[in-house]
Amino acid sequence: MVGTVLALPIVGLGVEEFLVLLIAALAGGAFGAALGALPAFVFTGFVVFLGEGLAILEGNLGDLSAIEGDIATGVTGTIGFGMVTGPHVAFAGGVAATAYAGKKYPDMEPDDWGYHFGKDILYAFGTKPDILAVGAIFGALGMVITQVGGGLGIPTDNIALSVVATAVLARVAFGYPLIGRVAGTSVLDMSPFERGEDRPAAEGDSARPATEPWLPHQYEWAGVTAIGLVGGIVGGYIWLETGSVFMGYAISAMSLLFLNLGVEKIPVTHHITLIGSVGAVLAMATLDSEPVVLLVAGGFGILAALLAEATQRVLYAHSGTHVDPPAMAITIVMTLVGILYLAGLLPNAGYLGL
């Protein structure tokens, strides 16, 4: 009864509905810490793949008047991007838990981990209560940031924005430098890593590289551009054939299972396929040529890939925790899309509900 009378106007929810989300987000963030940030995100991929597949099936079944309820049941939104495996909840909780453990439990660091332990988003923390509590707090914080962003009408992907915001807050909260010590000639310079330079022993970890690129197999500009083109076209093609903006994203996220299992040189492409799909959506609104639409999708994929690489060089490579480059790239591109759409310069806003 209270929830039907009282409402939280900024988040657009009744009190009871908000409390349900809050409790679920606390559990979801702890769940992400228990599994580890990257394994939790792999589950995001599987759940979104299921949700999008069900939605495509429902869209092709025709008249559903004889069937009660929806076939798809909102799996993508309520679970995949919701309180269970939503990146702003589970992944964000795992990232914050890793940052916390990097300071509190450095002895837990695996022998084969070469960077600061605060970046080991592959690590599953199991049932350690204080680490799960950190995950819970940041999962709830991620939910609140996303809801407030949507309530205020911020024209961007507020889930991606929340992933970035919670990671930066975790870095500050647990005593890491915001940018970190820059070992090269500039914040963008990865040459200390290429030369095999280590940080000074006085910093407490002589084995830690002086500069830590997000993906040692995916940081050179030419390779990043190439995978951006390929992934963008793949995302655009999947959208052309299925009408799903998020199916390519899901496939890319699922592919990270192999990266988590130690398969070398698996590229990270979910930001690329997602933004490639958005490029296809925008292009199709004004162009009447599917081959050209795919090329535009490839261009958008390149943009996402290059932005992820540029942002990792600023906010990942020099400090001791994970700030997610794909989330930064998605936030930047979708902010531009949202603003340009509101200014009347784009025919639509991609998947943004503007």
mmCIF file of all heavy atoms in Angstrom, residues 63 74 115 120 163 174 245 267 275-276 282 289 295 332:
data_model
loop_
_atom_site.group_PDB
_atom_site.id
_atom_site.type_symbol
_atom_site.label_atom_id
_atom_site.label_comp_id
_atom_site.label_asym_id
_atom_site.label_seq_id
_atom_site.Cartn_x
_atom_site.Cartn_y
_atom_site.Cartn_z
ATOM 1 N N ASP A 63 0.454 -14.172 -34.865
ATOM 2 C CA ASP A 63 -0.652 -13.918 -33.948
ATOM 3 C C ASP A 63 -0.494 -14.773 -32.690
ATOM 4 O O ASP A 63 -0.508 -16.001 -32.751
ATOM 5 C CB ASP A 63 -1.984 -14.243 -34.628
ATOM 6 C CG ASP A 63 -3.176 -13.926 -33.729
ATOM 7 O OD1 ASP A 63 -2.975 -13.261 -32.695
ATOM 8 O OD2 ASP A 63 -4.286 -14.347 -34.078
ATOM 9 N N GLY A 74 10.626 -10.634 -21.188
ATOM 10 C CA GLY A 74 11.542 -9.575 -20.808
ATOM 11 C C GLY A 74 12.861 -10.051 -20.247
ATOM 12 O O GLY A 74 13.447 -9.381 -19.386
ATOM 13 N N TYR A 115 49.696 -8.237 -13.325
ATOM 14 C CA TYR A 115 49.364 -6.853 -13.034
ATOM 15 C C TYR A 115 49.046 -6.710 -11.538
ATOM 16 O O TYR A 115 49.181 -7.644 -10.778
ATOM 17 C CB TYR A 115 48.157 -6.403 -13.854
ATOM 18 C CG TYR A 115 48.404 -6.189 -15.327
ATOM 19 C CD1 TYR A 115 49.641 -6.477 -15.919
ATOM 20 C CD2 TYR A 115 47.399 -5.704 -16.155
ATOM 21 C CE1 TYR A 115 49.848 -6.276 -17.277
ATOM 22 C CE2 TYR A 115 47.597 -5.496 -17.511
ATOM 23 C CZ TYR A 115 48.818 -5.784 -18.068
ATOM 24 O OH TYR A 115 49.020 -5.581 -19.404
ATOM 25 N N ASP A 120 42.502 -7.944 -11.296
ATOM 26 C CA ASP A 120 42.259 -9.339 -11.670
ATOM 27 C C ASP A 120 40.767 -9.648 -11.658
ATOM 28 O O ASP A 120 40.245 -10.294 -10.742
ATOM 29 C CB ASP A 120 43.012 -10.281 -10.734
ATOM 30 C CG ASP A 120 42.992 -11.721 -11.228
ATOM 31 O OD1 ASP A 120 42.386 -11.980 -12.294
ATOM 32 O OD2 ASP A 120 43.578 -12.581 -10.556
ATOM 33 N N VAL A 163 28.650 1.649 -14.931
ATOM 34 C CA VAL A 163 29.822 0.768 -14.819
ATOM 35 C C VAL A 163 31.094 1.597 -14.661
ATOM 36 O O VAL A 163 31.963 1.290 -13.833
ATOM 37 C CB VAL A 163 29.919 -0.157 -16.042
ATOM 38 C CG1 VAL A 163 31.271 -0.885 -16.073
ATOM 39 C CG2 VAL A 163 28.786 -1.173 -16.041
ATOM 40 N N PHE A 174 39.038 3.011 -2.251
ATOM 41 C CA PHE A 174 40.002 2.068 -1.690
ATOM 42 C C PHE A 174 41.449 2.537 -1.805
ATOM 43 O O PHE A 174 42.379 1.765 -1.641
ATOM 44 C CB PHE A 174 39.804 0.693 -2.328
ATOM 45 C CG PHE A 174 38.427 0.128 -2.105
ATOM 46 C CD1 PHE A 174 37.638 -0.278 -3.166
ATOM 47 C CD2 PHE A 174 37.909 0.042 -0.820
ATOM 48 C CE1 PHE A 174 36.362 -0.783 -2.963
ATOM 49 C CE2 PHE A 174 36.632 -0.464 -0.601
ATOM 50 C CZ PHE A 174 35.853 -0.869 -1.668
ATOM 51 N N VAL A 245 19.482 -5.410 -31.718
ATOM 52 C CA VAL A 245 20.674 -4.593 -31.503
ATOM 53 C C VAL A 245 21.647 -5.305 -30.564
ATOM 54 O O VAL A 245 22.867 -5.126 -30.672
ATOM 55 C CB VAL A 245 20.278 -3.221 -30.913
ATOM 56 C CG1 VAL A 245 21.507 -2.418 -30.504
ATOM 57 C CG2 VAL A 245 19.450 -2.430 -31.919
ATOM 58 N N PRO A 267 39.869 -11.636 -28.614
ATOM 59 C CA PRO A 267 39.604 -10.187 -28.554
ATOM 60 C C PRO A 267 38.347 -9.887 -27.744
ATOM 61 O O PRO A 267 37.439 -10.712 -27.638
ATOM 62 C CB PRO A 267 39.404 -9.814 -30.029
ATOM 63 C CG PRO A 267 38.866 -11.067 -30.652
ATOM 64 C CD PRO A 267 39.533 -12.214 -29.916
ATOM 65 N N ILE A 275 28.042 -1.165 -30.838
ATOM 66 C CA ILE A 275 28.055 0.130 -31.534
ATOM 67 C C ILE A 275 27.970 -0.067 -33.045
ATOM 68 O O ILE A 275 27.396 0.769 -33.761
ATOM 69 C CB ILE A 275 29.311 0.932 -31.134
ATOM 70 C CG1 ILE A 275 29.290 1.222 -29.623
ATOM 71 C CG2 ILE A 275 29.401 2.232 -31.923
ATOM 72 C CD1 ILE A 275 28.053 1.961 -29.141
ATOM 73 N N GLY A 276 28.496 -1.176 -33.551
ATOM 74 C CA GLY A 276 28.294 -1.492 -34.966
ATOM 75 C C GLY A 276 26.817 -1.651 -35.289
ATOM 76 O O GLY A 276 26.338 -1.163 -36.326
ATOM 77 N N LEU A 282 21.245 3.482 -37.453
ATOM 78 C CA LEU A 282 21.246 4.878 -37.902
ATOM 79 C C LEU A 282 21.338 4.972 -39.420
ATOM 80 O O LEU A 282 20.640 5.777 -40.051
ATOM 81 C CB LEU A 282 22.414 5.627 -37.251
ATOM 82 C CG LEU A 282 22.363 5.785 -35.732
ATOM 83 C CD1 LEU A 282 23.661 6.388 -35.209
ATOM 84 C CD2 LEU A 282 21.179 6.656 -35.321
ATOM 85 N N SER A 289 20.771 0.996 -49.024
ATOM 86 C CA SER A 289 21.751 0.040 -49.525
ATOM 87 C C SER A 289 22.329 -0.739 -48.352
ATOM 88 O O SER A 289 23.053 -0.178 -47.530
ATOM 89 C CB SER A 289 22.875 0.762 -50.280
ATOM 90 O OG SER A 289 23.943 -0.131 -50.561
ATOM 91 N N LEU A 295 29.034 -1.156 -44.161
ATOM 92 C CA LEU A 295 30.277 -0.382 -44.095
ATOM 93 C C LEU A 295 30.186 0.702 -43.025
ATOM 94 O O LEU A 295 31.163 0.964 -42.306
ATOM 95 C CB LEU A 295 30.589 0.229 -45.459
ATOM 96 C CG LEU A 295 30.947 -0.771 -46.564
ATOM 97 C CD1 LEU A 295 31.157 -0.046 -47.881
ATOM 98 C CD2 LEU A 295 32.181 -1.588 -46.197
ATOM 99 N N ILE A 332 30.624 7.066 -24.266
ATOM 100 C CA ILE A 332 30.976 8.211 -25.103
ATOM 101 C C ILE A 332 30.162 8.219 -26.400
ATOM 102 O O ILE A 332 29.557 9.226 -26.784
ATOM 103 C CB ILE A 332 32.483 8.214 -25.409
ATOM 104 C CG1 ILE A 332 33.280 8.462 -24.129
ATOM 105 C CG2 ILE A 332 32.821 9.278 -26.459
ATOM 106 C CD1 ILE A 332 34.771 8.226 -24.287
#
